[in-house]
C-alpha cells in the first residue's frame, strides 16, 4: 500500500509509504492523485496533512524511472502538485527527515509546511544533471526570494529546518510530535476559514539589485560549470519567475527539465548516484553481519596523511588519538590540523566554537600503548614494508583482540602486512586520498584473510566519515593508482613524441578533469612518485618503455609547487603553473636522445592514449576480480581522481563511446608503439565480439 490515510477529527493525514525514501514513482503519483481528489470532495474532511512514513518525508521523483520508457507517466509530478495546490482545503506538509527535489516541490505545492527539528529541505536536482521540474524554480523564489532560491537551486545543497524557518521556507519547526502539530495547524487554518496560501499566486518579493544578484549567481555557478547544461537551465528558469506568468514559466520549466533529463550528462550523473550506492553493498555482508562499532580510533603517523585522517574522525565526532614517536612531529601535525580548521572558519564554513569542539576530539600520544583501547588503528607512516610490518607486529601485541588494524598504504601488499600479525582477519587497507579530509574516496583493501566482519565494519565507518568506501582486492597500486600509473605513463610518452605538458594538461582539462596529469604531479609533489619509481627500478622489466623525464626534473630539485618548479614554474609562493622553457628543452633533448622526430600530436590522440588506456586497465582489473563491478571503478575515478562527473566514470564513458571504437584505437596504438598497456584487454575483445559493454555483459 503506497498511502496510509487516517482521519483525525476533520483532518485527513495522508502518509506516503514507498520505502526506502517515498519516491514519487508513477504508481505513487497515481495513488496520491486519486486519494487527494477524493479527500478534497469529502464533506467530513476540513483539512489535509501530507506526511512521509519511515525515514523521511520524500526523496523526490523516482530517479530509476527516468531511465525507463515512459509508460504509466500520468499524472506527472507537476500536475499532481498543481492539483494539491488547487485544493480548497488547507493542505499542510509535515516534514521529517528529508524533503528533496520533487519531495521539496511537493511541500511547496502544499499551502503550509511544518518541519521536525532534524528535517532538511533542498532541491538537489543539479547534482544529478537535472533541474527542479515540478514548479521548484517558480514556487521557491516566490516563497524565499530570488537570492536564497538561486543559492539553493544552483548549489543543490539542502538547508536545515532552522535555516528553512529563517528563510520562510517552513512555517513552523516542532520538537514535539510532528503529526499532532500538523493536525493542529490544519484545524486552526480550516477553522479560520482563510483562503489557502497558494505560492503560484504570489509574486517574487521585490529586490533592489536584481541584475547584480543574477550576475553574481551566474558567475559563481554557471560560468564555472564548464559545459554542464543544468546550471544554465536552472538559472534561465528561475529568471522566468520574475518575468513570466506562472503557467507559462511552468511550461518552460518542464521543457528545460526534459532537456536535462534526456541529456547524456544527466544520465552519467544518475549512473554515478546509483553505482555509488551499489559500491556500499558487499556480497556476503548483510545487515546481520556482526560489526564492531568504532567508538574510539587511533592514527599512527602525524604527517600530511595522518593529520588529514585524524581530521576526518574529528569531523565525524569520533574521538581519535594520534601517535607519533617525536613530540616535534606531533606539534607540527597539530598546528597543521588547527590550520585546516582555521581556514574553514575564515571561509565561514565552520564556527570557532565548532572548530574547538572538533579539535577537542583529537588526543595525542607519544607512547604507542595509549592506542591499546582503540576500536580501529589506522597506520599512516612511511611507505616502507619493513617499517609497516614492524609496526603491525607491535600493534598486534599491544591492542585489544577486537581492534581492527588498518593500513593507509597506497601501494604495498596488504597480505604481507597482515602476515606480520596474529590477527590477519582483522587487518585491512584503508587507502585515503590526499588531502584526506577533503577527498571523498576510501579504497578499502581486503587482504586474503580479512574477515567479512572487518570489511563490514570498515565499509560502514567509511560512510560515517562521510566518505565513499569502495572495496578492492590486493594488487600493485590497487585500483586507482594502478590505472593512474598507466595514464601518466602515456602522458609522459606523449611528451617524448612531440607534446608539451601544457598541451596535454589543457586537453585533459577540457575533457573535464579538474587538472591535467602534469599539474597534478606538481601539486602532489614529484618526489613522492620518484621514490616509488626508484624502489621499483630493480624489478622493472628491461624491455618495458620508461620515460625518465620526471626523474630528471627531480634530480634538478624540481619537486613541483613545493619547490617552486616542477613540470611548470611558479612565482614565489604562487600556485599558478607557468610553462617553463627549461622543461621544454629537457623534453626536446629526451626526444633527440631517443632518436624520435617530434610530431604534432592532436587532441584526439591525447584523449585516446590517456583515457582509453585507463579503460583498458580497468577491464584487466575486472578480469582479475580486483573489483567485481565496473561501477566500483567509476566511483573510484570520480571521487579519487576527479573524473568528469558528466562522463560518469571511465567504464561508463567507455560504453558511451562504444567498446569497438576503443578496441580499434588501442589496437592501432599498440601495433604502432608496442607498449603492452595499449594491447586491448581480453575482456574488451570478448565484449566487442558480443557487441556488449561493461554494463551490458
Ligand atoms: C527530482 O525530484 C526531479 C523533480 O524536480 C521533477 C520531477 C518531474 N529515487 O542514499 P541512500 C534509493 S530528481 C529512487 O543510501 P540515505 C537509493 O538508490 C530527484 N531511488 O540513503 C537507495 O536504494 P538502494 C531529486 C532513490 O538515507 C535507497 O534509496 N532527489 C531516490 O543515505 C537509500 O538511499 C534527489 O536527488 C530517488 N529519488 O539518503 C535525492 N533517492 O537501497 C536523492 C534515494 O536500493 N537521494 N533512492 O541502494 C538522496 O539524496 C538520498 O538517497 C537520501 C537518503 C538523502 C534521500
Amino acid at each position: 500500500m503506497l498511502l496510509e490515510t487516517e482521519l483525525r477529527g476533520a483532518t485527513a493525514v495522508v502518509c506516503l509509504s514507498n520505502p526506502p525514501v517515498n519516491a514519487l514513482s508513477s504508481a505513487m503519483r497515481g495513488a496520491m492523485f486519486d486519494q487527494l481528489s477524493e479527500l478534497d470532495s469529502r464533506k467530513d474532511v476540513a483539512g489535509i496533512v501530507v506526511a512521509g512514513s519511515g525515514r523521511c518525508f520524500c526523496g523526490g521523483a523516482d530517479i530509476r524511472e527516468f531511465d525507463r520508457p515512459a509508460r504509466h507517466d500520468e499524472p506527472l509530478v507537476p500536475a499532481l502538485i498543481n492539483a494539491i495546490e488547487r485544493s480548497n482545503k488547507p493542505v499542510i506538509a509535515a516534514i521529517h527527515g528529508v524533503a528533496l527535489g520533487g519531495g521539496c516541490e511537493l511541500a511547496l505545492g502544499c499551502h503550509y509546511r511544518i518541519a521536525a527539528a532534524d528535517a532538511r529541505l533542498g532541491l538537489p536536482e543539479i547534482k544529478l544533471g537535472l533541474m527542479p521540474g515540478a514548479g521548484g524554480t517558480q514556487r521557491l523564489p516566490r516563497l524565499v526570494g530570488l537570492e536564497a532560491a538561486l543559492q539553493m537551486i544552483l548549489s543543490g545543497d539542502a538547508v536545515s529546518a532552522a535555516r528553512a524557518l529563517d528563510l520562510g521556507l517552513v512555517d513552523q519547526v516542532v520538537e514535539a510530535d510532528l503529526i499532532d502539530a500538523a493536525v493542529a495547524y490544519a484545524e486552526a487554518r480550516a477553522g479560520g476559514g482563510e483562503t489557502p496560501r497558494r505560492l503560484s499566486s504570489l509574486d517574487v518579493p521585490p529586490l533592489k539589485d536584481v541584475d547584480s544578484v543574477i550576475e553574481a549567481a551566474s558567475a559563481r555557478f554557471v560560468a564555472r560549470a564548464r559545459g554542464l547544461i543544468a546550471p544554465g537551465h536552472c538559472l534561465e528558469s528561475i529568471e522566468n519567475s520574475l518575468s513570466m506568468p506562472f503557467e507559462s514559466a511552468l511550461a518552460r520549466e518542464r521543457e528545460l527539465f526534459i532537456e536535462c533529463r534526456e541529456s547524456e550528462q544527466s544520465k552519467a550523473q544518475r549512473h554515478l548516484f546509483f553505482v555509488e550506492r551499489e559500491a556500499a553493498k558487499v556480497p556476503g555482508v548483510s545487515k546481520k553481519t556482526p560489526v564492531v562499532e568504532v567508538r574510539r580510533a587511533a592514527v599512527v603517523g602525524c604527517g600530511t596523511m595522518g593529520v588529514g585522517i585524524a581530521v576526518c574522525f574529528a569531523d565525524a565526532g569520533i574521538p581519535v588519538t594520534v601517535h607519533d614517536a617525536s613530540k616535534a612531529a606531533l606539534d607540527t601535525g597539530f598546528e597543521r590540523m588547527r590550520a585546516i580548521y582555521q581556514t574553514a572558519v575564515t571561509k565561514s564554513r565552520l564556527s570557532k566554537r565548532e572548530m574547538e569542539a572538533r579539535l577537542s576530539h583529537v588526543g595525542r600520544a607519544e607512547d604507542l600503548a595509549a592506542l591499546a583501547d582503540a576500536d580501529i588503528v589506522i597506520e599512516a607512516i612511511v611507505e616502507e614494508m619493513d617499517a609497516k610490518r614492524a609496526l603491525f607486529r607491535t600493534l598486534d601485541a599491544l591492542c585489544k583482540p577486537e581492534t581492527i588494524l588498518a593500513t593507509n598504504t597506497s601501494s604495498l601488499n596488504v597480505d604481507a602486512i597482515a602476515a606480520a600479525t596474529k590477527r590477519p582477519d582483522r587487518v585491512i587497507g584503508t587507502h585515503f586520498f590526499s588531502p584526506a579530509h577533503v577527498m571523498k574516496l576510501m579504497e578499502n583493501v581486503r587482504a586474503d584473510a580479512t574477515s567479512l566482519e572487518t570489511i563490514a565494519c570498515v565499509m560502514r565507518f567509511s560512510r560515517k566519515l562521510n566518505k565513499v568506501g569502495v572495496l578492492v582486492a590486493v594488487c600493485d597500486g590497487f585500483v586507482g593508482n594502478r590505472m593512474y600509473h598507466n595514464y601518466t605513463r602515456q602522458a609522459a610518452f606523449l611528451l617524448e613524441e612531440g607534446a608539451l605538458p601544457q598541451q596535454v594538461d589543457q586537453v585533459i582539462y577540457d575533457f573535464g578533469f579538474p587538472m591535467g596529469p602534469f599539474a597534478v604531479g606538481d601539486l602532489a609533489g614529484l618526489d613522492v612518485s620518484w621514490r616509488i619509481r626508484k624502489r621499483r627500478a630493480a624489478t622493472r622489466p628491461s624491455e618495458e618503455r620508461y620515460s625518465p623525464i620526471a626523474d630528471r626534473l627531480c634530480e634538478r630539485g624540481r619537486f613541483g609547487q613545493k619547490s617552486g618548479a616542477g613540470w611548470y614554474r611558479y612565482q614565489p609562493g604562487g600556485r599558478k603553473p607557468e610553462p617553463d622553457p627549461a622543461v621544454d628543452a629537457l623534453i626536446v633533448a629526451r626526444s633527440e636522445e631517443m632518436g624520435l622526430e617530434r610530431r604534432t600530436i592532436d587532441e584526439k590522440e591525447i584523449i585516446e592514449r590517456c583515457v582509453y588506456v585507463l579503460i583498458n586497465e580497468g577491464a584487466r582489473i575486472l578480469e582479475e576480480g580486483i573489483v567485481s563491478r565496473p561501477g566500483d571503478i567509476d566511483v573510484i575515478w570520480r571521487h579519487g581522481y576527479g573524473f568528469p562527473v558528466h562522463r560518469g566514470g571511465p567504464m561508463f564513458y567507455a560504453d558511451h563511446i562504444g567498446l569497438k571504437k576503443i578496441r580499434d584505437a588501442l589496437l592501432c596504438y599498440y601495433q604502432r608503439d608496442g607498449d603492452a598497456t595499449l594491447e586491448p584487454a581480453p575482456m574488451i575483445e570478448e565484449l566487442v565480439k558480443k557487441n556488449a559493454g561493461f554494463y551490458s555483459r
Side-chain angles (χ1 to χ4, degrees), residues 263-276:
S263 69
E264 288 305 318
Q265 297 186 352
S266 176
K267 283 179 192 158
Q269 289 179 248
R270 276 149 29 205
H271 158 77
L272 280 170
F273 175 85
F274 287 116
V275 288
E276 214 176 274

Side-chain angles (χ1 to χ4, degrees), residues 598-660:
R598 292 179 65 78
R599 61 188 169 86
T600 305
I601 297 181
D602 63 11
E603 189 180 323
K604 179 169 172 284
E605 179 168 351
I606 293 174
I607 299 285
E608 290 180 348
R609 295 269 296 276
C610 294
V611 180
Y612 289 9
V613 84
L614 275 183
I615 296 164
N616 207 27
E617 198 59 27
R620 293 206 175 92
I621 282 168
L622 278 172
E623 274 162 19
E624 291 168 27
I626 302 297
V627 289
S628 51
R629 302 166 286 217
D632 293 347
I633 297 176
D634 285 341
V635 174
I636 286 172
W637 270 79
R638 173 65 204 139
H639 291 296
Y641 302 83
F643 199 91
V645 66
H646 63 286
R647 298 194 192 273
M651 311 316 269
F652 184 84
Y653 174 69
D655 278 6
H656 168 67
I657 295 292
L659 288 190
K660 180 169 180 328

Side-chain angles (χ1 to χ4, degrees), residues 19-21 23-24 55-56 58-66 76-78 98 100-103 105 123-125 127-128 130-136 254 257 261 273-274 277-278 281 463:
V21 300
L24 301 173
R55 62 167 115 166
C56 65
C58 175
D62 189 333
I63 311 167
R64 286 179 202 276
E65 287 188 352
F66 292 166
L76 297 171
V77 191
V98 295
L100 293 178
E105 292 172 301
L123 292 169
E125 286 88 340
K127 296 185 180 179
L128 297 170
L130 295 168
M131 55 175 282
R254 178 81 192 155
F257 170 79
R261 190 189 66 189
F273 175 85
F274 287 116
R277 275 144 189 88
E278 191 72 19
K281 293 171 192 149
R463 218 174 154 164

Side-chain angles (χ1 to χ4, degrees), residues 38-116:
E38 196 250 336
L39 292 171
D40 205 28
S41 64
R42 267 169 62 170
K43 290 220 165 58
D44 58 338
V45 173
I48 299 167
V49 169
V50 180
S53 66
R55 62 167 115 166
C56 65
F57 176 74
C58 175
D62 189 333
I63 311 167
R64 286 179 202 276
E65 287 188 352
F66 292 166
D67 289 320
R68 293 180 200 148
R71 277 170 302 173
H72 310 291
D73 244 352
E74 302 289 339
L76 297 171
V77 191
L80 169 69
I81 292 173
N82 289 347
I84 291 173
E85 194 188 53
R86 274 197 302 272
S87 171
N88 286 317
K89 297 171 182 174
V91 185
I92 286 85
I95 302 161
H96 79 291
V98 295
L100 293 178
C104 185
E105 292 172 301
L106 169 65
L108 289 167
C110 296
H111 305 130
Y112 308 98
R113 286 149 291 281
I114 296 196

Side-chain angles (χ1 to χ4, degrees), residues 35 78 176 258 325 329 344 390 406 427 435 442 477 533 598 619 627 631 659 673:
Q35 176 71 98
I258 289 172
V427 175
M442 266 173 81
R533 286 196 301 276
R598 292 179 65 78
V627 289
L659 288 190
D673 302 347

